[in-house]
């Protein structure tokens, strides 16, 4: 099998070992599993990068030869250095990829991806709705059998906090209503005093007219009872039927 040392773009590729050869079974069995995470040691990270990069380039080459596949591989190191391999041309392979992605023949796969996405979102929403419904039942004191002591204490604090806020809002509304009623009471008292003054002035006017000589009969005949007045005034005997203490108090609701 040929082992090219350069790609079509001029990138250096390390020599690949014979595909028929490999590590001995004893050596492969001695390798342990490593945790896949970022290597903190700089030297170890660089050594691992070189080894894995060469292995990746080797696998790309093998895939292109064994399966007659068009393969393009691009790798950037942590320092920004570019490593690439392509059995044709990286640029042409990328253009082919863009054309295949935009091809209308792939609309079915796009629709399937969208349908899968919406199904996942719908599943998330159903779980959220179920969680909210269960939480509301817990607030009403229902479905508490699955809660532990810590969760019950947390639920109790939430309920007490909610009750405190409700009582605070209720007291605020009550105080506002009381303040409004007090202002309303003052306004009614002022209206009552004004009406009392009007009644007293009307009474004094009637008394003065009744004391005028020669006008007693005319006053009686020309002053009919008006239902709109608050009280009926006897013009003949104003001082016998009325006193300041016997005046009817006007009550306003």
């Amino acid at each position: 099998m040929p082992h090219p040392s350069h790609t079509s773009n001029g990138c250096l590729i390390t020599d690949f070992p014979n595909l028929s050869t490999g590590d001995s079974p004893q050596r492969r069995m001695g390798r342990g599993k490593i945790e896949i995470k970022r290597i903190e040691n700089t030297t170890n990270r660089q050594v691992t990068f070189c080894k894995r990069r060469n292995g990746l380039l080797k696998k790309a080459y093998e895939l292109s030869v064994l399966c007659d596949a068009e393969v393009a591989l691009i790798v950037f190191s942590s320092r920004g250095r570019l490593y690439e391999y392509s059995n044709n041309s990286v640029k042409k392979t990328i253009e082919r990829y863009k054309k295949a992605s935009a091809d209308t023949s792939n609309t079915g796969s796009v629709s399937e991806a969208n349908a899968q996405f919406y199904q996942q979102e719908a599943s998330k929403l159903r779980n959220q709705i179920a969680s909210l419904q269960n939480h509301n039942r817990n607030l009403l004191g229902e479905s508490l059998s699955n809660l532990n002591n810590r969760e019950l204490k947390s639920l109790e604090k939430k309920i007490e906090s909610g009750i405190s806020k409700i009582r605070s809002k209720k007291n605020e509304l009550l105080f506002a209503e009381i303040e409004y009623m007090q202002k309303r009471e003052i306004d009614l008292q002022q209206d009552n005093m004004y009406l009392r003054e009007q009644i007293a002035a009307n009474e004094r006017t009637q008394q003065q007219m009744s004391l005028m000589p020669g006008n007693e009969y005319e006053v009686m005949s020309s002053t009919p009872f008006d239902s709109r007045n608050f009280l009926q005034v006897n013009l003949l005997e104003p001082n016998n039927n009325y006193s300041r203490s016997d005046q009817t108090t006007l009550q306003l609701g």
Side-chain angles (χ1 to χ4, degrees), residues 36-52:
I36 303 300
K37 67 177 183 179
R38 184 179 183 271
I39 301 175
E40 299 298 334
N41 186 278
T42 305
T43 303
N44 294 340
R45 185 168 64 247
Q46 184 64 26
V47 172
T48 303
F49 173 78
C50 292
K51 291 182 178 180
R52 302 268 175 153

Side-chain angles (χ1 to χ4, degrees), residues 186-242:
I186 294 174
D187 293 339
L188 291 176
Q189 289 177 354
Q190 293 177 353
D191 292 341
N192 196 5
M193 291 176 61
Y194 173 77
L195 292 175
R196 285 174 179 272
E197 292 175 357
Q198 293 295 321
I199 292 174
N202 189 24
E203 181 184 25
R204 288 193 299 270
T205 301
Q206 297 296 336
Q207 289 177 355
Q208 291 176 1
M209 293 179 62
S210 64
L211 295 177
M212 295 177 62
N215 291 335
E216 295 181 0
Y217 178 76
E218 294 178 1
V219 170
M220 291 179 59
S221 60
S222 63
T223 310
F225 174 75
D226 191 353
S227 61
R228 292 174 295 176
N229 295 332
F230 292 94
L231 69 163
Q232 183 179 5
V233 180
N234 191 336
L235 300 179
L236 296 178
E237 295 179 355
N239 295 327
N240 294 333
N241 293 336
Y242 269 92

Side-chain angles (χ1 to χ4, degrees), residues 16-76:
F16 301 135
N18 197 319
L19 297 180
S20 62
T21 62
D23 296 335
S24 63
Q26 291 81 5
R27 187 175 179 180
R28 288 198 299 271
M29 292 177 61
R31 294 179 181 178
K33 294 182 179 179
I34 63 172
E35 185 178 1
I36 303 300
K37 67 177 183 179
R38 184 179 183 271
I39 301 175
E40 299 298 334
N41 186 278
T42 305
T43 303
N44 294 340
R45 185 168 64 247
Q46 184 64 26
V47 172
T48 303
F49 173 78
C50 292
K51 291 182 178 180
R52 302 268 175 153
R53 178 201 62 200
N54 293 338
L56 187 60
L57 293 171
K58 174 186 173 183
K59 293 296 183 183
Y61 168 74
E62 293 174 354
L63 181 62
S64 63
V65 174
L66 295 175
C67 302
D68 193 21
E70 183 177 351
V71 179
L73 175 64
I74 300 175
V75 178
F76 284 96

Side-chain angles (χ1 to χ4, degrees), residues 115-128:
Q116 184 178 4
F117 170 77
Y118 289 125
Q119 288 177 358
Q120 293 176 354
E121 291 297 318
S123 178
K124 291 179 181 179
L125 291 175
R126 283 193 294 268
N127 293 334
Q128 291 178 359

